[in-house]
Amino acid sequence: MNELTILLLSAASLGFVHTLLGPDHYLPFIVLSKARKWTQAKTLWITFVSGIGHVAGSVIIGIIGIAMGISLHRLEAFEAQRGNIVGWLIAFFGLMYTFYGFYKYLKNSTHSHIHSFLLPSKLKKLKHLPNEDDTTDRDSWKSLTPWVLFLIFVFGPCEVLIPLLIFPAAEFSSFGIVLVSIVFGLATVLTMLIMVFLGYRGFKLIKFKPLEKYMHLIAGLVILIAGVGMVFLGW
């Protein structure tokens, strides 16, 4: 078994392990798919595109760094800093989505518990207007949420990829870099897709009807916990 084969096996193994052990790679897609009522196809497509962007970001940085002769230590430090920033971004996104979920819960609870005879006459006329606002609000969040996830993942680093690229750059030139990038990328994206698919199908087996009014809030809290775990626990 030659060195390049060993390197490719290492790339596949690390791509699988680093994704599996990083819940931030799949939990946001799973909980948001439930909260936003995405179809399975849409959920997997958003996961796929975000995964490609996630790997491509580190590949581009690694290739630029190698071409400029930047040391491995400096590249790893830069990737670690990016990882810290992304952890905060995910935590912030989770916090904002938690606020949104809490707002939606209060809004829905208010609509369902305030009887019309308790409302002033002017508010009675406006009672059905929130439904239209809800539609606009829902549509804007549906269009915005996938883009937020995609941008966060593009900015997010694959810390283990940079060292893998340094060796083939020295030994096998561009051919080794391309092969390692492809194998690592495939392992990472496929693992993301498998985990999201399993999570999506698992949610289908659970009766969430009593919890549906809390789903946005739950999704926000899960994403917030994943971000906090990245920053403080090194997930």
Side-chain angles (χ1 to χ4, degrees):
M1 187 179 295
N2 60 39
E3 293 177 339
L4 181 57
T5 301
I6 295 173
L7 190 63
L8 294 177
L9 290 175
S10 299
S13 301
L14 288 172
F16 169 75
V17 172
H18 109 278
T19 304
L20 188 65
L21 297 182
D24 56 293
H25 285 78
Y26 44 87
L27 279 182
F29 301 100
I30 296 172
V31 294
L32 285 174
S33 71
K34 184 64 180 178
R36 304 237 59 87
K37 295 182 171 57
W38 291 340
T39 64
Q40 179 178 297
K42 182 174 182 177
T43 302
L44 293 178
W45 172 249
I46 293 171
T47 304
F48 173 76
V49 173
S50 298
I52 293 294
H54 177 55
V55 176
S58 288
V59 170
I60 292 171
I61 289 174
I63 291 175
I64 292 175
I66 292 168
M68 295 178 63
I70 299 175
S71 68
L72 174 60
H73 176 72
R74 292 180 63 184
L75 285 173
E76 288 181 321
F78 179 71
E79 287 290 271
Q81 186 62 30
R82 280 209 307 151
N84 189 51
I85 293 173
V86 166
W88 283 109
L89 287 176
I90 291 178
F92 179 74
F93 175 60
L95 181 63
M96 292 298 99
Y97 205 93
T98 299
F99 286 147
Y100 170 75
F102 189 61
Y103 159 76
K104 292 289 288 184
Y105 167 72
L106 289 179
K107 197 172 185 179
N108 292 335
S109 297
T110 301
H111 291 166
S112 60
H113 290 98
I114 295 180
H115 299 287
S116 59
F117 70 85
L118 294 176
L119 295 173
S121 58
K122 288 185 178 180
L123 288 181
K124 287 180 182 179
K125 297 178 181 179
L126 298 175
K127 187 179 178 183
H128 296 292
L129 289 180
N131 291 333
E132 184 178 332
D133 294 339
D134 285 348
T135 302
T136 303
D137 174 62
R138 189 163 55 246
D139 290 342
S140 63
W141 269 96
K142 279 186 177 180
S143 60
L144 179 63
T145 303
W147 282 106
V148 172
L149 279 177
F150 173 74
L151 291 174
I152 289 176
F153 270 79
V154 167
F155 193 74
C158 298
E159 293 94 338
V160 297
L161 178 58
I162 298 296
L164 285 173
L165 292 178
I166 297 297
F167 182 75
E171 298 293 327
F172 307 105
S173 188
S174 57
F175 177 69
I177 293 176
V178 171
L179 281 180
V180 169
S181 300
I182 291 174
V183 171
F184 181 87
L186 285 174
T188 298
V189 175
L190 283 175
T191 305
M192 288 176 64
L193 289 171
I194 290 170
M195 295 302 296
V196 171
F197 173 78
L198 292 176
Y200 185 93
R201 300 305 297 179
F203 267 142
K204 288 290 186 181
L205 300 177
I206 303 173
K207 301 298 182 183
F208 273 96
K209 194 68 177 177
L211 297 176
E212 280 190 356
K213 60 183 177 181
Y214 304 108
M215 278 312 302
H216 291 293
L217 181 59
I218 293 171
L221 288 172
V222 170
I223 296 171
L224 175 60
I225 291 170
V228 171
M230 286 180 66
V231 174
F232 296 104
L233 302 177
W235 289 0

